[in-house]
Amino acid sequence: MGEFIRNKFYFVSNINTGCLTIIDAFCNTILKEIRVGQRPFKLALVDDTTIAISCEKSNTISFFNCVSGKVKEFNISNNGNLQIDKVNKKIYISDTYEITIYDMNLEALIGCIKGFSAIVALKLNRIGSKLYVLDTLQKELRIYSTDTYNLICSFKNIGVNSTDLLISKDEITAYISNKNKILKININSKIYSNIILPKGSIIMGMVLKDNTLYTSNFGLNRIRSEEHTSEL
């Protein structure tokens, strides 16, 4: 789910319908549904008026202009994951096995990072200098430099069935959701610890606000909160 820059509207990708749903944040009502592609997943703001949506089944990236209401499609292979680096004007898009890097208009291919088995999540740090990549089959979290696209470091044996990745703002802690638990990694000390979840949990999203970690638990249909500290 993505939130509009002025906090007046919510934008939600609907995998089943292939639509971007626009919701009025004040009265919580659906205003419009825009068809954007097959199986739309991740959303990201390109600028103050444009939202990018990665659609894995149609292998397209859609740009939706919130002012004109128009949709522009780009045929780019993807598995539903993308990250936008506004600082360095780049867009990172993953398919299962590699990451492609484009300019902000998706007109020029800038670079490519290969060697993955099953990418499930991408994250950039705030200044766009590091790219975090979660590979669920290799059970590995990798950190790359966005200047050279070289590997900085990696964390292995992160568990099975990883679904999501979150990096704290101070870049000290990585959160990786696995079945029935969330793995916490101290990136500096490389110490692992676990947050144990109730049986049947399937975490599909994580948000860190102040000192609280919020998780959307698809398996149990609930939102969970957990106190966060950078120290393990």
Side-chain angles (χ1 to χ4, degrees):
M1 182 173 71
E3 186 176 355
F4 190 47
I5 193 70
R6 294 184 180 138
N7 298 320
K8 293 182 180 179
F9 305 99
Y10 294 106
F11 294 84
V12 181
S13 60
N14 192 316
I15 290 175
N16 294 324
T17 65
C19 291
L20 178 69
T21 302
I22 305 173
I23 300 173
D24 188 309
F26 293 111
C27 56
N28 198 30
T29 56
I30 295 175
L31 298 177
K32 199 169 185 180
E33 291 191 312
I34 310 295
R35 185 164 294 280
V36 292
Q38 294 179 310
R39 288 184 63 83
F41 189 46
K42 294 292 186 180
L43 310 179
L45 282 171
V46 179
D47 53 40
D48 288 349
T49 61
T50 306
I51 297 173
I53 310 104
S54 52
C55 305
E56 60 170 331
K57 191 172 182 180
S58 56
N59 272 324
T60 56
I61 304 296
S62 294
F63 277 9
F64 172 68
N65 188 296
C66 302
V67 177
S68 68
K70 293 182 178 180
V71 177
K72 186 176 182 180
E73 283 192 350
F74 300 86
N75 293 314
I76 297 175
S77 177
N78 72 88
N79 66 347
N81 289 299
L82 84 164
Q83 288 281 286
I84 294 182
D85 178 5
K86 294 182 181 180
V87 177
N88 301 298
K89 307 299 181 183
K90 299 177 184 178
I91 299 181
Y92 295 81
I93 301 168
S94 75
D95 62 16
T96 304
Y97 309 109
E98 66 180 11
I99 299 164
T100 49
I101 303 101
Y102 289 83
D103 69 344
M104 290 292 282
N105 297 316
L106 293 180
E107 293 176 348
L109 178 63
I110 298 172
C112 183
I113 306 173
K114 299 184 178 182
F116 303 98
S117 295
I119 299 168
V120 293
L122 302 176
K123 295 293 179 184
L124 284 165
N125 64 348
R126 285 185 295 172
I127 60 174
S129 62
K130 294 177 183 177
L131 178 69
Y132 300 80
V133 186
L134 183 60
D135 189 319
T136 188
L137 280 185
Q138 295 190 20
K139 302 176 185 177
E140 186 177 10
L141 170 63
R142 300 182 190 177
I143 305 176
Y144 289 87
S145 165
T146 57
D147 289 330
T148 62
Y149 308 132
N150 290 332
L151 181 68
I152 297 172
C153 64
S154 67
F155 299 86
K156 300 182 183 296
N157 301 316
I158 59 171
V160 298
N161 299 323
S162 301
T163 56
D164 197 23
L165 169 67
L166 178 67
I167 306 298
S168 61
K169 288 184 179 180
D170 57 15
E171 299 180 47
I172 294 176
T173 309
Y175 296 86
I176 299 170
S177 60
N178 295 300
K179 189 176 182 180
N180 296 335
K181 69 179 181 180
I182 295 173
L183 175 66
K184 290 175 63 178
I185 301 176
N186 186 302
I187 294 172
N188 295 333
S189 66
K190 297 190 176 182
I191 295 175
Y192 292 24
S193 67
N194 289 298
I195 300 172
I196 304 302
L197 303 174
K199 186 177 180 179
S201 295
I202 302 174
I203 301 302
M204 298 304 294
M206 297 182 287
V207 175
L208 189 62
K209 183 173 177 58
D210 299 325
N211 292 320
T212 304
L213 175 67
Y214 296 89
T215 56
S216 58
N217 194 324
F218 176 76
L220 298 179
N221 194 30
R222 65 177 66 165
I223 301 295
R224 175 189 171 97
S225 62
E226 185 88 20
E227 186 177 355
H228 155 81
T229 60
S230 293
E231 298 296 328
L232 296 181

